[in-house]
Amino acid sequence: MSFKLRKPNPKGETRVSLCSIEGYKTDSPDKDNDINIIHSSRITMEGVPHDVEGTDDLGNTIIMKPGKNYQFPGSKVTERKA
């Protein structure tokens, strides 16, 4: 089994996108961020190769699976790699 290690952030800072469109999709410029904020309640995991923890602005949290679609009650979702 092989896996890919992410390059460490040289300053040790958390990488955040405050307005990500593509989230953790494999071709997204935000795929290596620690946190992505999506300004939508509808999240697609199509093109995302790993689980993602999503928490909306109302506190609802879901572990989202690759290939699935999700609807949150809130208006924006904070994503973290699970």
Side-chain angles (χ1 to χ4, degrees):
M1 182 164 128
S2 66
F3 58 94
K4 181 178 177 182
L5 293 175
R6 293 187 330 177
K7 293 180 183 176
N9 185 334
K11 295 182 181 179
E13 298 168 349
T14 301
R15 289 183 223 139
V16 178
S17 173
L18 297 177
C19 190
S20 179
I21 304 288
E22 299 294 319
Y24 290 112
K25 291 182 180 183
T26 55
D27 58 351
S28 170
D30 300 323
K31 68 182 176 194
D32 293 323
N33 289 345
D34 298 302
I35 298 170
N36 288 321
I37 298 175
I38 310 294
H39 290 266
S40 175
S41 60
R42 302 185 82 160
I43 305 295
T44 182
M45 291 288 289
E46 294 173 16
V48 179
H50 52 79
D51 291 357
V52 173
E53 177 185 284
T55 303
D56 71 9
D57 51 342
L58 300 176
N60 300 294
T61 299
I62 298 172
I63 300 297
M64 300 181 290
K65 302 292 183 182
K68 305 260 183 183
N69 293 305
Y70 296 88
Q71 175 73 46
F72 284 84
S75 61
K76 66 181 176 181
V77 177
T78 300
E79 295 183 336
R80 292 179 176 84
K81 291 185 180 180

